[in-house]
Structures are given as structure tokens and as C-alpha cells.
Amino acid sequence: NTMAEAHVEKDTITFNAAISSCETCRRWELALQLFGEMANDRVERNAITHSAVISTCEKVGAWMAAVQLLDDMAKGSVERNTITYSAAVSSCEKAGEWGPALRLLGEMAVDRVERNTITYNAAISACQKGG
């Protein structure tokens, strides 16, 4: 365990920083591993944590992981917002998965989460790529 070896305190802020760095280098599997480690270590996973992991998945088009994380947020009573939804819709767009992208757009309306230009453009692009 690298954090323990480096004598770094395992808390939400430290994990969020580590997960965010995974986005830069497109290491979505490592981001998911760190996310899981947080649960194992009983470290709070908040909206920022979820957003960072979803954004990392979005960068590589790992749409299934992004959508699952978004769904898990609702189950865990973590507030989903425009940023988290947009990143998940964008991950669907990168993979040309128009069905899940439109489902998420509909969920945003039901959840009364503001949809913005980024969200709409990603959903439209998903439809174009998916045929």
C-alpha cells in the first residue's frame, strides 16, 4: 500500500487528490482501485470523490464504469449534480453509447439537475456516433 508506506494519512482529501491525478494520466482502473480502497479503509467518499472517478472514466470512454458510479451515488445518498451527470454523459458520448446517454439526460430532468450546453452536446454527439 503506497500511501501507508509513504506515511500519508488516508483521508478524503488525500484520496481525492490521488484520484484526480489519475485523470491527468488516464489511469481509470487505478482511480477505481483507489475508490474501492476508500471503502475498505472506511474513508468517506463524497460528491467530489465520485466526480473525480467519473471524470477519469470519461477521459477514456469507460462509460459503463461511469454510469455505474453515478447510479451508486444515488444508492449511497450522495448528491448527483450537473458536473457528475455531464461527465457520465460524456463518457457515453466517447463510446457512441446513445441509449445510456439519453437515459442519463432523462434522469437529470427527474432529479431536477440542471442540464447545460456540455450535457446536451455530449448527448447529441453520442446519438451521432451511435447512429
Side-chain angles (χ1 to χ4, degrees):
N1 189 327
T2 54
M3 282 192 194
E5 290 169 5
H7 303 290
V8 175
E9 183 179 346
K10 291 182 174 187
D11 61 16
T12 303
I13 294 170
T14 305
F15 271 107
N16 286 353
I19 290 168
S20 292
S21 70
C22 292
E23 180 179 355
T24 304
C25 54
R26 299 174 178 261
R27 301 275 314 268
W28 68 277
E29 295 101 340
L30 180 56
L32 288 172
Q33 180 183 335
L34 291 167
F35 186 78
E37 191 175 318
M38 290 178 79
N40 292 341
D41 292 342
R42 292 184 173 86
V43 176
E44 178 190 3
R45 299 184 299 185
N46 59 23
I48 295 168
T49 310
H50 285 80
S51 292
V53 179
I54 291 170
S55 292
T56 302
C57 293
E58 180 263 329
K59 295 293 183 232
V60 298
W63 70 274
M64 286 189 279
V67 171
Q68 183 62 55
L69 284 162
L70 193 69
D71 290 343
D72 290 347
M73 288 177 77
K75 292 175 190 166
S77 299
V78 179
E79 183 179 348
R80 301 183 292 180
N81 58 34
T82 303
I83 295 168
T84 53
Y85 267 110
S86 293
V89 172
S90 291
S91 71
C92 295
E93 178 264 329
K94 285 187 174 32
E97 292 291 336
W98 60 271
L102 294 180
R103 177 181 69 87
L104 293 175
L105 204 60
E107 281 182 21
M108 289 178 81
V110 170
D111 291 347
R112 297 182 183 188
V113 174
E114 180 182 350
R115 291 152 290 170
N116 60 19
T117 304
I118 294 168
T119 315
Y120 284 120
N121 284 343
I124 291 167
S125 182
C127 292
Q128 289 173 330
K129 288 180 180 181

